[in-house]
Amino acid sequence: MLPRTLLMRVWVLGLASACSGEVERPNPVASGPLARAFESGGVAHQSSPRVGYGGLKLRMAGERSYALEITRDTAAVETRRFVAYAAQGQVLWQFTEQPQELLMDFTVHPSGEVSLSVEHTDEVRDTFELVRLSVDGAVLARQRLPAPETLPPGDLGLLPASPFLMKAVPAGSHVGKWLPWVRLEARGEELAVAFLSYVDRGDESGTQALASGVMALQWSGGRYTEQWARVVDGLHSLIQVAWQYDEFHWLDAATQPLLAVSPEGRVIVGRALSQGRCTALSQTFQELSSTECRILGMRNSPHRYQPFAFTSFSPEGAREGTHVLAPEGLEEFVVFDMALRGEEVAVAGTAVRFQEDGTVKYYAASPSAEPIMLPYDGYVAVLDRATGALRSEVYVDEGRAEYFAALRWTEEGLLAAGAADWDRWNGGMSVSRGAGPLLAFIPGDGGAVRTRSVGLGGGARHFHLLTVDTWDGAVVALGVSEAPMTHSGDSAGAEQMTFGGLRVGLR
C-alpha cells in the first residue's frame, strides 16, 4: 500500500483551493507581533545595484544577524562571504572565501560561535572542511570533514565499505551549486552535518555515482569528533535536470540535501526523491517498495514534478524511517526548504494545480494575450514527523506565478519568503516577467494566511528573496535585486548575468 502522503489531497483547515492576501478563515486572526506586522506593519526595503552581494542564508541572534552572501562579477566569477552584522546593519566582521574555496553553509551555536562548511573545489577527495569561528570572528579551528568511520554495515547495500569520496560537483558543472551539498545545523555546541558526495570507487574516475550521508559531531578540545554517522540514500546518480530557472535554483532543489534538528537532538534530512534515490531506499532500507518507486517514477519529471522525502534519525543516530510527500492533483511540484518543530515537519516550494477536469487553467500575461502562462502557487505543507501524514497544506496565489524559497518556524506559525509576479509560459521553462519579493505568514492557530510584498519586479529583471528570519517581532529577508532572467545573457554576455543585493524588513 502506498504511504498516506501519496494518497491524500487535503485542503488546510477548510481553506479553499487558493489563498491570497485577505482570504478569510473560520478561526480568528492571530494577535501576536508577527500577525500584527503582517496586518499593519511597515515594509522597508534596500536594494544595491549590480554588481553587489545577494543574501543566500540569514540567521538572527539577539542584536546580531549573520548572513551568507554571494556576488557575481562581469566575468561570471562568483565569490561568497560570511558576514556578522550589528543591529543597525553595520558590519562587525566577515569571513571571505579564498580562491578554490566555496562557502556552502553555516549555523550559529548557543554560545554565539559559528560553524561554516567550506569546499576546496580544486581537490579530488576529502574536499569538505569545517571552520569554527568565535563570537568576534576569530578562527578557532579549521578541520577537514573526514569520511564517516561509524557507519553501520547494514547501511551500505551496494556501496563500498568506505563509500564517500567527500567530493562535490566540480566547479563549472552544469549542476547548480548556489545551494549547498554540505548542510549544517547546531545541536547545542555540537553539530549535525548532512552531505551529498561522489562515491569512492577506488581508481575509477569520472564516475557519476552519488550517495548522501548524515553525521553528528562533538565539539571538544578545539576539534570536531564523530559521534555517529548514517547513510541517508545509497548508490544513485545525479538527477538529470534539463532546465534552469534564472536565479530561482530549480537545479539545486533537485539535488541538495535539507537538514533540520530538534532541541533534543533529533536529525531530519530532506531531499527531492529521484528514481535512483527511491530505488536505493527500497533496496537498502526497504522503506519503500519497488512498486511505490515505479509509481513515483511515472509522476517524477525532474525539472517539473519532484516528489519529496525526509528521513528521521534519533539523537543517538537510530534510523527512524523515511516518508514521502507527493501531492496528487499537481502538474508541477518542487520543494526548496524544510523546517522542523517538535513532531511537525514543514516544507515550502511551488506547485501548479490541475483543475477538476484534469487541465491547467493558464492565464494571460496581458489582457490581449493568449492564456499560456503557468499558474504557479507558493506551496507550504506540514507533515507528521513520525508517520509522514499530511497535517495541512496551503497554496498562496497572488495572481501570477509564486514560489517560496525559504521557511522558518516561529512561536506564532510559519514564515515564508520567495517571489511573486513572474510569468513562465507553458511551452518551455523560460521566464518572461521579472519577479518581485514575497513574504507570507501562516498562523499556527488557523488564522488567515497573510502576505506582504514590495513594489518591485514586473520588468526585465528579478527582485526576489532567498532567506528569511525573525527576531523580537521583526521580519528580515534577504535575496537578490536586478537579477537575470532566463535569456538575460543570451546576446549581452556575462555582464547581464550580474545582480545586486536585496533586503526586506517588516515590523
Side-chain angles (χ1 to χ4, degrees):
M1 182 166 180
L2 289 178
R4 188 180 177 196
T5 46
L6 294 181
L7 302 175
M8 293 185 67
R9 186 180 182 186
V10 176
W11 306 117
V12 59
L13 300 171
L15 188 63
S17 61
C19 72
S20 63
E22 305 299 322
V23 170
E24 293 299 325
R25 290 193 181 190
N27 295 329
V29 175
S31 59
L34 277 182
R36 291 193 296 272
F38 273 83
E39 282 288 323
S40 58
V43 180
H45 77 275
Q46 297 174 323
S47 58
S48 62
R50 298 183 280 155
V51 175
Y53 276 92
L56 291 176
K57 182 175 179 178
L58 169 72
R59 289 295 179 262
M60 302 178 71
E63 295 297 313
R64 287 191 177 192
S65 60
Y66 299 89
L68 178 61
E69 300 175 344
I70 185 170
T71 189
R72 181 187 296 144
D73 66 21
T74 55
V77 176
E78 294 182 349
T79 304
R80 304 181 187 208
R81 66 183 184 185
F82 174 76
V83 187
Y85 290 100
Q88 302 305 315
Q90 307 96 321
V91 174
L92 296 173
W93 51 266
Q94 63 180 330
F95 182 95
T96 303
E97 66 186 17
Q98 300 303 306
Q100 310 303 324
E101 290 182 350
L102 180 72
L103 294 182
M104 291 188 288
D105 197 16
F106 75 91
T107 188
V108 182
H109 299 277
S111 64
E113 294 179 1
V114 174
S115 292
L116 302 175
S117 58
V118 181
E119 181 192 356
H120 292 263
T121 58
D122 59 333
E123 300 182 16
V124 297
R125 63 176 306 125
D126 299 323
T127 67
F128 304 145
E129 184 180 44
L130 299 176
V131 180
R132 184 88 170 202
L133 302 176
S134 73
V135 175
D136 299 321
V139 175
L140 300 176
R142 296 194 70 145
Q143 175 184 345
R144 291 299 172 106
L145 181 64
E149 298 179 351
T150 61
L151 293 172
D155 278 14
L156 296 177
L158 299 176
L159 294 170
S162 181
F164 297 111
L165 196 61
M166 306 306 277
K167 168 70 175 175
V169 164
S173 167
H174 69 283
V175 177
K177 286 195 60 184
W178 268 35
L179 304 180
W181 278 36
V182 178
R183 291 271 185 181
L184 306 181
E185 288 290 341
R187 299 206 315 165
E189 294 306 307
E190 298 174 352
L191 191 64
V193 183
F195 60 91
L196 182 65
S197 167
Y198 282 121
V199 171
D200 188 353
R201 289 186 161 180
D203 294 332
E204 293 184 34
S205 61
T207 177
Q208 294 296 302
L210 299 172
S212 55
V214 61
M215 305 170 71
L217 304 179
Q218 183 178 9
W219 172 249
S220 179
R223 286 188 58 80
Y224 294 103
T225 56
E226 184 177 326
Q227 294 177 304
W228 54 262
R230 301 298 304 257
V231 173
V232 178
D233 293 312
L235 196 68
H236 64 280
S237 61
L238 279 170
I239 300 175
Q240 296 302 313
V241 180
W243 306 95
Q244 174 62 290
Y245 257 116
D246 317 327
E247 304 300 345
F248 292 168
H249 309 301
W250 252 246
L251 285 171
D252 300 280
T255 304
Q256 63 164 334
L258 298 174
L259 178 65
V261 173
S262 70
E264 66 272 16
R266 177 168 277 109
V267 177
I268 310 292
V269 182
R271 66 280 190 202
L273 188 63
S274 67
Q275 189 67 13
R277 287 172 175 171
C278 194
T279 300
L281 287 171
S282 175
Q283 293 178 343
T284 306
F285 302 105
Q286 294 80 51
E287 292 174 331
L288 291 167
S289 70
S290 59
T291 299
E292 290 165 349
C293 288
R294 283 196 299 272
I295 293 173
L296 284 169
M298 294 170 61
R299 304 173 66 181
N300 184 355
S301 175
H303 55 289
R304 295 182 184 272
Y305 190 106
Q306 300 176 14
F308 182 78
F310 71 88
T311 304
S312 180
F313 298 89
S314 75
E316 296 74 32
R319 191 178 181 105
E320 298 177 326
T322 297
H323 301 289
V324 177
L325 175 63
E328 295 184 348
L330 301 182
E331 182 181 56
E332 304 209 11
F333 172 65
V334 181
V335 169
F336 287 91
D337 203 6
M338 178 183 74
L340 173 67
R341 183 186 67 177
E343 291 300 302
E344 295 181 311
V345 177
V347 298
T350 190
V352 174
R353 286 174 284 172
F354 288 117
Q355 300 180 99
E356 292 298 327
D357 64 1
T359 64
V360 172
K361 186 178 180 180
Y362 302 116
Y363 66 91
S366 64
S368 60
E370 183 183 357
I372 60 171
M373 299 299 170
L374 271 166
Y376 285 96
D377 294 333
Y379 180 86
V380 175
V382 177
L383 303 102
D384 184 273
R385 182 203 62 81
T387 67
L390 183 61
R391 293 187 174 185
S392 63
E393 195 175 48
V394 168
Y395 295 88
V396 173
D397 180 10
E398 295 286 291
R400 289 183 180 267
E402 300 82 30
Y403 93 111
F404 290 129
L407 188 69
R408 294 289 282 166
W409 277 110
T410 75
E411 293 182 357
E412 297 179 56
L414 284 162
L415 182 64
D421 206 33
W422 48 281
D423 292 337
R424 198 219 93 188
W425 73 306
N426 63 4
M429 301 294 280
S430 296
V431 175
S432 58
R433 177 183 169 97
L438 176 67
L439 292 170
F441 173 57
I442 301 99
D445 67 353
V449 175
R450 289 289 183 259
T451 63
R452 297 295 295 269
S453 58
V454 180
L456 300 169
R461 309 288 295 188
H462 286 310
F463 295 77
H464 66 97
L465 301 172
L466 293 168
T467 182
V468 66
D469 206 354
T470 180
W471 185 268
D472 193 27
V475 177
V476 178
L478 303 179
V480 288
S481 68
E482 294 191 63
M485 289 166 48
T486 312
H487 300 292
S488 294
D490 284 0
S491 58
E495 192 281 328
Q496 291 301 315
M497 302 305 291
T498 59
F499 50 81
L502 177 65
R503 178 186 178 95
V504 175
L506 171 64
R507 185 155 196 157

